Amino acid sequence: MSGKRLTHFDESGAAQMVDVSEKAATARLATAEAQIVMQPETLALITEGRAKKGDVIGVARLAGIMGAKRTADLIPLCHPLPVTKATVDLEPDADLPGLRITASVKTTGQTGVEMEALTAASTAALTVYDMCKAVDRGMRIEGLRVILKDGGKSGRYEVS
Amino acid sequence: MSGKRLTHFDESGAAQMVDVSEKAATARLATAEAQIVMQPETLALITEGRAKKGDVIGVARLAGIMGAKRTADLIPLCHPLPVTKATVDLEPDADLPGLRITASVKTTGQTGVEMEALTAASTAALTVYDMCKAVDRGMRIEGLRVILKDGGKSGRYEVS
Amino acid sequence: MSGKRLTHFDESGAAQMVDVSEKAATARLATAEAQIVMQPETLALITEGRAKKGDVIGVARLAGIMGAKRTADLIPLCHPLPVTKATVDLEPDADLPGLRITASVKTTGQTGVEMEALTAASTAALTVYDMCKAVDRGMRIEGLRVILKDGGKSGRYEVS
Amino acid sequence: MSGKRLTHFDESGAAQMVDVSEKAATARLATAEAQIVMQPETLALITEGRAKKGDVIGVARLAGIMGAKRTADLIPLCHPLPVTKATVDLEPDADLPGLRITASVKTTGQTGVEMEALTAASTAALTVYDMCKAVDRGMRIEGLRVILKDGGKSGRYEVS
Amino acid sequence: MSGKRLTHFDESGAAQMVDVSEKAATARLATAEAQIVMQPETLALITEGRAKKGDVIGVARLAGIMGAKRTADLIPLCHPLPVTKATVDLEPDADLPGLRITASVKTTGQTGVEMEALTAASTAALTVYDMCKAVDRGMRIEGLRVILKDGGKSGRYEVS
Amino acid sequence: MSGKRLTHFDESGAAQMVDVSEKAATARLATAEAQIVMQPETLALITEGRAKKGDVIGVARLAGIMGAKRTADLIPLCHPLPVTKATVDLEPDADLPGLRITASVKTTGQTGVEMEALTAASTAALTVYDMCKAVDRGMRIEGLRVILKDGGKSGRYEVS
């Protein structure tokens, strides 16, 4: 990593929104994941609720999708991008116990959508926390990371 | 937890913004924490940068504070609250290696500010990811949780 | 109505956000309603979907609740208010055929929440349109109005 | 309509932002309309006001145009689109009595702008309500619908 | 000014949203002003337009009022405040030549509204620039400053 | 300038978002500048602070960059554009005394980015005011204007 530098700063150290105007607008894809770990009783409330008591997962999914669209508002040096697809999946996992969250975002643009995927996963996880905090304050969000990125000059990145 | 239910849904299972209009407006405080784990070389770039090559921590702190103010926009059933204080701290920790993030938020309001503190910590962590992703795509955000909540009827909650 | 004038304009005709700083912060409540009229087949898709094919009503409800929080961003001269409760109900009605939408909003503030209730109902209805437009472009939103307003100096207003 | 399904949900019924990344970016146009029905005295206040007492129509027009730009923030599964034109027209109609609202939006994008046109018309109508509610609480918004859509694979749609 | 320090930073130099939770919620008022200087022909277009060709001043006024409500979104360390009144006045002045802008904002809150008044004046001025830039690119915004601040512990401040 | 008219209004004088859908999407660049004039002691606090007491300039720079992304939200008739680069520079100038602000924005789009550059410079200046107002209420923002515009049919404009 010697010689590497952070492109979000210029030579003098000033933060900047990096110039992507010369980059080609290509198809971009990114997937992020996270887990939210909770008491088994909390997970039971969520999984039972899907039927009729209240759809925590449905609300969190929608929050995640909407969060993807707000990314450039939240992350200071992030370029605004027209999201062309966003999905958020939340799967109960009794071993955590908790929910496994996967968010995928696509665009046709001049820079990648990792931040959009991460923001979607993070917002979905925070929404689960919000809805369940009255019964389980100790929930934790773990393992928020990018697991797939494709499109653009730097090529495909995939966590094996 | 038997008999517990999720207050963000009514009896029929419909999501709702819970009625807090009868609750007293009292001083509320919450603190959240998270870690962002990275390559040691990435941490070195960040810590060196503070001096002159670019202040990753300063940018992330500001993003976190601004994120706290956007919480009710992001989290669907979260009540809007007038944040009266917000601080975000990011400490390098060579053992992670990475940054330890702590966010504290205060309000005088009818409901708590856990979501604001979590959103601040999460936004700060995502901003670090954004600024360093060109050199380290494998960074992970871990342990995002509430460690302190005070004010309101439910009393003080503190992770020991 | 002789002698009445629109308070959102001053004597010279300039638009203004009316001064409410001398008004008492009291409990305020408003309810708005609307209908979205559609083909019977579209309504069938929505009502069947609740079970497993996709919850149009759940998505629209959430959009309505979030819309209530964005009211002062959308309506130029509307005062920002801390919403303390928001509910949105969508009931299938085979006679329309379509959905009957009811949105209720509460605050403790210096002015009423009619606009928040109307914006919630309107946003929920538009979201139904968005989700179903691929199968039924001719849907219409009808009868968007305030049916209840309470709190504040002007007293209770209720459509009989 | 047999066999039709709602594309905003996947096979499992999960809400999603539909993938439009393979669709061509073409010129898109949509027009929506609505009426706001009021007391004749309220309409008189509005029409007289244009001259010097306050331009309700001008304020509502602007709110509608700005609303078009906020569409993807409000409608959960709506794709963000760069609006390239937005007009909102409000015509007094003594027969309603009230205002007839027409909103037209254009873009060059991968999906249509019906939602933008509907949101513009709706926001304009809500703004009229806000400005006149002190003199006429019983106003109703009626007939909000798409009357023209052009561009894209599905061809031209026009209400005759 | 010896010994003074900037309260938006803590002892270590970290930016923070200052804690105002112990401050009393009192009536607050601020007024800001600015001028936008232009070619005399541009001013003539604006002043003629009020009658029928297009109301630049009306649009700018509304933009300013809405801008006041967005202040805490734009200014990183600014506390969100419920604006209870906002007015923006734009007066033609042939001697500039241009427009003199005055914005006044009130709240009942724990901190002042200078930033809201400045943001309102600035947004109104930028909107004039936007509407007239096709005929006069050389317009300049001058003298944006606070001329009155009242309420709160620090007492009344008024530019003589 | 005879015969000139303001394109943001149609023939009847109604405000409109101008139709740019037929314009080519080309590389666009704009630079704006402003000064913020203050007491010499205030400037000293800012310049000393860079080292360790608090980085006013860094916070203002970031606010300016984020402001550029919010332009179409603030300026009613401004087209939304995908910013591809944004930089904000703030240089201390003892002769003002104060800070000289320069903001540059790029896009590939159908209309120019003057408004984005102006909004960036203005937001940065307002942020400096916010951070220093406790020690110097009399600060003034002066000379906010476009100094460079390039790309698009109207050609290059540069202040000599």
Side-chain angles (χ1 to χ4, degrees), chain A residues 40-88:
Chain A
E41 294 84 354
T42 310
L43 183 59
L45 274 173
I46 292 174
T47 51
E48 289 163 16
R50 292 190 91 166
K52 64 172 191 285
K53 287 188 208 152
D55 184 6
V56 170
I57 287 176
V59 173
R61 177 187 293 118
L62 211 64
I65 292 171
M66 296 181 84
K69 296 193 273 186
R70 310 301 297 274
T71 305
D73 273 358
L74 287 174
I75 310 298
L77 303 176
C78 195
H79 296 85
L81 285 174
V83 171
T84 55
K85 182 198 170 192
T87 59
V88 178

Side-chain angles (χ1 to χ4, degrees), chain E residues 51-128:
Chain E
K52 66 168 186 287
K53 287 185 209 156
D55 185 7
V56 170
I57 286 175
V59 173
R61 177 186 293 119
L62 211 62
I65 292 171
M66 296 180 83
K69 295 192 274 186
R70 312 299 298 275
T71 304
D73 274 358
L74 287 173
I75 310 299
L77 303 176
C78 193
H79 296 85
L81 284 176
V83 171
T84 54
K85 183 198 171 191
T87 59
V88 179
D89 192 49
L90 300 101
E91 286 298 320
D93 179 340
D95 292 336
L96 281 173
L99 299 172
R100 295 192 170 278
I101 302 171
T102 312
S104 288
V105 176
K106 284 172 111 172
T107 195
T108 303
Q110 291 164 302
T111 180
V113 281
E114 302 98 297
M115 295 317 301
E116 282 73 9
L118 286 167
T119 303
S122 166
T123 307
L126 290 172
T127 299
V128 171

Side-chain angles (χ1 to χ4, degrees), chain D residues 31-38 46 56-57 60-61 63-65 87-93 96 98-104 117-129 140-147:
Chain D
T31 302
E33 68 167 23
Q35 297 87 46
I36 178 162
V37 184
M38 57 189 63
I46 292 173
V56 170
I57 287 176
R61 177 185 293 120
I65 292 171
T87 58
V88 178
D89 192 49
L90 301 101
E91 285 298 319
D93 179 338
L96 281 172
L99 299 172
R100 296 192 170 277
I101 302 172
T102 313
S104 288
L118 286 166
T119 303
S122 166
T123 306
L126 290 172
T127 299
V128 172
Y129 189 94
R140 282 173 295 115
I141 297 167
E142 303 284 355
L144 176 59
R145 60 175 184 160
V146 174
I147 55 172

Side-chain angles (χ1 to χ4, degrees), chain B residues 20-116:
Chain B
V20 298
S21 51
E22 300 301 310
K23 297 173 78 170
T26 58
R28 313 272 181 159
L29 166 69
T31 303
E33 68 167 23
Q35 297 85 47
I36 178 161
V37 183
M38 57 189 63
Q39 297 294 323
E41 294 84 354
T42 311
L43 182 60
L45 273 172
I46 291 173
T47 50
E48 288 163 16
R50 292 190 90 165
K52 65 170 188 284
K53 287 187 209 155
D55 184 7
V56 169
I57 287 175
V59 173
R61 177 186 293 121
L62 211 61
I65 292 171
M66 296 180 83
K69 294 192 274 186
R70 310 301 297 273
T71 304
D73 274 357
L74 287 173
I75 310 299
L77 303 175
C78 193
H79 296 84
L81 284 174
V83 171
T84 54
K85 183 198 169 190
T87 59
V88 179
D89 192 48
L90 301 99
E91 286 298 319
D93 179 340
D95 292 336
L96 282 172
L99 300 171
R100 296 192 169 276
I101 302 171
T102 312
S104 289
V105 176
K106 285 172 111 173
T107 195
T108 303
Q110 291 165 302
T111 181
V113 282
E114 303 98 297
M115 295 316 302
E116 281 74 9

Side-chain angles (χ1 to χ4, degrees), chain A residues 1 8-9 12-13 41 52-55 70 75 115 122 126 129-131 137 141-144 146 154, chain B residues 1 8-9 12-13 41 52-55 70 115 122 126 129-131 137 141-144 146 154:
Chain A
M1 204 178 286
H8 285 76
F9 299 98
S12 72
E41 294 84 354
K52 64 172 191 285
K53 287 188 208 152
D55 184 6
R70 310 301 297 274
I75 310 298
M115 295 317 302
S122 164
L126 290 173
Y129 189 95
D130 183 44
M131 302 188 87
R137 279 174 182 156
I141 297 166
E142 301 283 356
L144 175 59
V146 174
S154 61
Chain B
M1 203 179 285
H8 286 76
F9 300 99
S12 71
E41 294 84 354
K52 65 170 188 284
K53 287 187 209 155
D55 184 7
R70 310 301 297 273
M115 295 316 302
S122 166
L126 291 172
Y129 189 94
D130 183 45
M131 302 189 86
R137 279 172 180 159
I141 297 166
E142 303 283 357
L144 176 58
V146 174
S154 61

